[in-house]
Amino acid sequence: MNILFESQNGTGYITINRPDKLNALNIDTINELKETILKVDQDKTIKCVIITGSGEKAFVAGADIEYMQKLTPNQALEFARLGQETLHLMETSGKPFIACVNGYALGGGFEVALSCDIILAQSNAKFGFPEVGLGIIPGFGGTQNLSRLIGKSLAKELIFSAKMIDASKAKEVGIVSEVYQSKEELLQAGKALSEQIQKNAPLAIALAKRAIVDGFNLTKEDGLRYEASLFGVVFSSNDAKEGLSAFVEKRKPNYTGG
Ligand code: CO8
């Protein structure tokens, strides 16, 4: 099992589990990850998902280099497509995904984190794209997602130089929301954030995520139109009625997700 999964109190925990290989992503791991994300997406009891890496040393140290070394160009293209498709499932899911990054998040591992909605990090985290040092380029969405997140200039510097940045630099440039000393604290913070998110209306969260994720590919004008149309959709939900009434009636809302 290269992917471990459990759920507790509305949070799904996905652990990438090849600690002997610093959780490097070979095709079996990507396929298992894809199946797990699809399963999580269908499961109505899961409201928020946390992804982390097994062991102390790495979140994911990239795509599996030994595996990639044996690929033909066509197989490499298929592998890149499978990876992109898998990570895109997290971006299109209505549920928030939180990356809890412990240790190395390199290449494909950095790309897994960038496809999550929120990134929390342990102080030992190291982020980077070593690909050009291997004669290849990022292939699971890194060129697109990093430049959209931190701007083209810094994205180019990191990708062209293949240098790693630590957790505090990653926070400074807006990749990481918060840094924690130990893995235990990191996972505790992920759980607390998931619980905080779960107090709110699930449909509203899903539609706010759509507005932000899809809005990135639109002009400001189109983005505003899109936001207004989603506002219309959410306003007709039971949860919108419940949330607004609960405030007026000075009580806690009871959201059902409809
Ligand atoms: N792939 C395969 N095995 C790996 C990887 C990896 N990415 N990273 C680490 N390992 C293995 C090591 O080979 C070693 O295995 P073994 O014990 O059997 O020799 C084990 O994990 C432990 O690693 P190290 O002994 O190297 O540990 P160190 O603490 O000395 O070093 C580093 C840690 C710095 C993280 C080092 O392991 C390293 O540089 N790893 C490679 C990092 C890297 O280059 N990642 C990017 C890969 S390319 C990529 O991700 C492209 C994504 C898009 C693909 C598109 C499809 C074609």
Side-chain angles (χ1 to χ4, degrees), residues 21-232:
K21 295 289 176 189
L22 303 188
N23 305 320
L25 303 170
N26 57 10
I27 192 145
D28 292 342
T29 311
I30 299 266
N31 276 322
E32 279 183 44
L33 181 62
K34 186 176 174 185
E35 274 171 37
T36 308
I37 295 168
L38 286 169
K39 192 172 78 182
V40 159
D41 208 31
Q42 296 297 314
D43 188 334
K44 288 201 167 69
T45 66
I46 296 169
K47 310 282 185 223
C48 188
V49 187
I50 289 177
I51 300 199
T52 195
S54 192
E56 286 295 324
K57 222 172 148 181
F59 175 70
V60 173
D64 188 313
I65 298 172
E66 251 181 77
Y67 169 75
M68 278 194 301
Q69 193 214 352
K70 300 184 186 99
L71 297 179
T72 63
N74 269 340
Q75 289 169 330
L77 177 67
E78 286 308 311
F79 187 50
R81 283 196 179 130
L82 175 69
Q84 288 181 3
E85 204 180 288
T86 300
L87 302 191
H88 193 61
L89 290 172
M90 298 197 281
E91 296 171 23
T92 52
S93 166
K95 299 172 191 192
F97 280 71
I98 303 170
C100 283
V101 175
N102 51 314
Y104 293 108
L106 303 176
F110 196 177
E111 288 167 316
V112 171
L114 287 169
S115 292
C116 291
D117 299 295
I118 300 161
I119 306 179
L120 307 180
Q122 193 178 335
S123 53
N124 72 347
K126 293 236 178 332
F127 297 85
F129 280 114
E131 279 88 341
V132 296
L134 298 165
I136 59 174
I137 65 169
F140 293 162
T143 58
Q144 305 307 302
N145 286 336
L146 187 64
S147 52
R148 279 167 168 78
L149 183 63
I150 61 172
K152 284 185 198 170
S153 176
L154 193 48
K156 285 176 188 163
E157 183 186 333
L158 290 180
I159 291 171
F160 297 172
S161 68
K163 71 180 178 188
M164 293 183 207
I165 56 169
D166 64 15
S168 65
K169 177 74 179 173
K171 182 172 181 226
E172 186 190 313
V173 300
I175 295 169
V176 159
S177 307
E178 202 51 77
V179 180
Y180 301 90
Q181 281 310 310
S182 65
K183 189 172 180 189
E184 199 187 342
E185 280 176 76
L186 171 71
L187 293 177
Q188 198 55 41
K191 179 172 172 266
L193 181 56
S194 169
E195 285 167 1
Q196 178 75 32
I197 289 171
Q198 287 182 56
K199 289 182 187 157
N200 304 312
L203 181 64
I205 292 167
L207 294 181
K209 175 168 167 174
R210 277 279 52 77
I212 297 167
V213 174
D214 297 346
F216 251 84
N217 302 320
L218 302 175
T219 62
K220 172 96 184 275
E221 259 186 5
D222 287 345
L224 288 172
R225 257 194 293 274
Y226 185 51
E227 184 189 78
S229 73
L230 293 177
F231 195 91

Side-chain angles (χ1 to χ4, degrees), residues 11-22:
T11 305
Y13 294 87
I14 296 177
T15 304
I16 300 171
N17 182 43
R18 291 184 76 210
D20 295 348
K21 295 289 176 189
L22 303 188

